[in-house]
Amino acid sequence: MATTFVRISDLKSHVGETVSVRGWVMTTRSSGKIAFLTMRDGTGYLQAVFPKNELVDGAWDRFATMTQEANVLVAGTVRADARAPGGFELTATDVTVVAPSVEYPITPKDHGTAFLFEHRHLWLRSRKQVAIARVRNEIEHGISDFFYDRGFIRTDSPILTGSIGEEAGELFATEYFDLGQAYLAQTGQLYIEATAAAHGKVYCFGPTFRAEKSKTRRHLTEFWMCEPEVAFADSNENMRLQEAFVSYLVARVLERRQDELKELERDTAPLEKVIAPFARITYTDAIANLQGQGSDIQWGTDLGADDETALAKAYDKPLFVMNYPKQVKAFYMKENPDDTRTVLNNDCLAPEGYGEIIGGSQREDDYDRLLARIEAQGLNPETYKWYLDLRKYGGFVHSGFGLGLERTVAWICGIPHIREAIAFPRQIHRLYP
Ligand code: 4AD
Ligand code: MG
């Protein structure tokens, strides 16, 4: 067998050569004189053609033993063929089954979602799942490039924390030696407010945890969040950064991940429209708008997923909803001087019914007001001493936001549920595999 191993994505530089390709069997079919294999090696998909008369001894019989997802080694000559997937085809001379695959559970027939998630470790090999993971990877790199290019410093925040970041009701807690309870971080924000005073423009990007009882298509108990924090930026500038960021990520996927979007059958026309600036409405106007649409929602309640969809449908780009009532938002948001019932915050709602992908705000930079909010929410001021220090030593106007990675991936991929936007989703009823 030929000795040059080539990955499918590199076949283009080996046209006319005899090479070996290693990978997994997707499908086989045979018609007496000629047989076809489609395979994948993680870098791409390849069709190999097996003309019976041109194969080495025994290869035709070995072909017949190949089953779905067996690991195989195929030798042959690389041919350019515009009709072939990936643009190249292998005219094979030999095949070896390196490792068998007996009764692979995920067959080309339809399987229920529960079954697929129980087999998530295998389902990840499927074409759509591969495409989603590639889009996610593109977005992760986009996040890193966007902030690096703008002079932000990535400062990583702890996952085990002693200060509650968002909501006391949604915490995973664990005993922490002699120090009592530690919590899995709901956000890195409080910590990057500290690093913002060291570097001016910072972000963190990592897993965050919410013990949310919600079983919706937008909630995971473990999800990745990218959180920038900017010194001397107010809420207005914060939204400008968000729209630049979201537009950049969408454009980057459109530019570099066309094959994956095709695989996902994503209509890209709505994505092409995602260009800054985005429209802004206040929460108060949003409530009036919803009431005008026949909703009985009252001022003071948080917007639900259906409300967000109803609001966003009038726009073909993401929409900012600003200045929510204090009581539905976190303690750290700065009071709105023009309407003290509200805060200087915004959510960013994705179009096409995807809802909130970003939550952001200007931070309360006044020591006394912040302390009062902490106390009013029943949080323990002792655990926020360090956070309050940021208001004591050179307090500064600052703002930031958190973009949920899985919600962004789900929206850009056009998939209905965020659980497919992460390799191993964690939900209330799912901890395996
Ligand atoms: O609006 P959230 O709760 O904001 C924060 O955590 C702030 N500390 C961010 C900041 O200002 N630095 O969450 C931000 C985003 C949401 O818009 C959503 O995209 C995502 O995180 N998110 C979730 N994604 C999946 N599952 C969940 N349970 C999520 N909760 C929030
Ligand atoms: Mg939010």
Side-chain angles (χ1 to χ4, degrees), residues 113-413:
T113 310
F115 179 89
L116 289 170
F117 275 104
E118 274 158 36
H119 295 86
R120 184 67 175 159
H121 51 299
L122 302 176
W123 187 28
L124 292 173
R125 305 177 185 190
S126 303
R127 294 182 75 118
K128 285 210 156 127
Q129 299 305 317
V130 166
I132 294 167
R134 299 297 167 92
V135 172
R136 179 181 169 116
N137 178 57
E138 193 62 53
I139 294 172
E140 288 180 327
H141 278 265
I143 287 171
S144 169
D145 288 344
F146 179 88
F147 289 115
Y148 189 87
D149 291 348
R150 281 161 184 75
F152 283 66
I153 304 300
R154 176 168 172 167
T155 57
D156 300 313
S157 52
I159 286 177
L160 286 167
T161 73
S163 323
I164 299 170
E166 294 286 329
E167 292 232 13
E170 296 173 353
L171 289 161
F172 289 107
T174 180
E175 288 310 314
Y176 197 80
F177 306 104
D178 296 333
L179 299 182
Q181 300 242 289
Y183 307 109
L184 295 186
Q186 295 169 310
T187 169
Q189 179 198 321
L190 307 196
Y191 299 96
I192 60 166
E193 286 186 50
T195 61
H199 303 283
K201 296 189 282 184
V202 296
Y203 76 104
C204 61
F205 182 32
T208 48
F209 305 86
R210 307 262 168 111
E212 302 208 53
K213 299 258 156 47
S214 350
K215 286 193 214 166
T216 77
R217 57 191 188 84
R218 328 194 294 173
H219 288 91
L220 297 169
T221 55
E222 176 176 329
F223 62 96
W224 282 62
M225 185 158 45
C226 166
E227 298 180 88
E229 193 71 31
V230 183
F232 317 121
D234 63 8
S235 180
N236 181 37
E237 196 172 333
N238 194 31
M239 283 184 275
R240 285 212 300 272
L241 182 64
Q242 291 167 51
E243 61 198 8
F245 181 45
V246 170
S247 305
Y248 171 86
L249 294 178
V250 170
R252 174 146 171 163
V253 173
L254 283 171
E255 190 186 311
R256 304 195 193 194
R257 292 294 144 210
Q258 276 297 329
D259 288 351
E260 285 76 8
L261 294 173
K262 266 194 206 93
E263 179 71 52
L264 294 164
E265 296 168 51
R266 176 63 160 114
D267 175 6
T268 52
L271 295 177
E272 307 277 357
K273 297 190 180 128
V274 180
I275 296 169
F278 304 159
R280 302 176 180 189
I281 60 170
T282 64
Y283 166 89
T284 302
D285 287 345
I287 294 298
N289 175 322
L290 291 168
Q291 288 169 343
Q293 294 189 43
S295 164
D296 54 14
I297 191 165
Q298 294 302 314
W299 198 99
T301 51
D302 204 358
L303 302 179
D306 292 344
D307 303 318
E308 291 179 355
T309 303
L311 286 170
K313 70 170 192 260
Y315 301 85
D316 57 9
K317 303 188 204 189
L319 169 69
F320 290 124
V321 182
M322 313 175 295
N323 306 343
Y324 283 62
K326 241 180 227 169
Q327 71 259 30
V328 300
K329 289 294 176 187
F331 66 92
Y332 52 72
M333 295 187 181
K334 187 170 180 60
E335 190 177 280
N336 178 5
D338 297 332
D339 177 358
T340 54
R341 300 173 306 163
T342 66
V343 285
L344 292 177
N345 81 310
N346 76 273
D347 278 0
C348 177
L349 312 183
E352 301 177 85
Y354 281 90
E356 179 194 339
I357 52 168
I358 290 181
S361 64
Q362 189 170 330
R363 317 308 189 186
E364 186 54 79
D365 47 9
D366 179 274
Y367 186 99
D368 295 324
R369 266 201 219 114
L370 181 60
L371 179 60
R373 289 292 301 282
I374 288 169
E375 284 168 343
Q377 298 214 1
L379 299 166
N380 176 6
E382 268 306 296
T383 62
Y384 294 98
K385 268 182 82 172
W386 69 270
Y387 184 65
L388 285 157
D389 270 356
L390 307 176
R391 280 74 182 163
K392 202 160 138 193
Y393 302 107
F396 56 114
V397 168
H398 60 294
S399 301
F401 64 88
L403 169 121
L405 179 63
E406 289 76 15
R407 289 193 190 174
T408 306
V409 171
W411 162 48
I412 294 179
C413 287

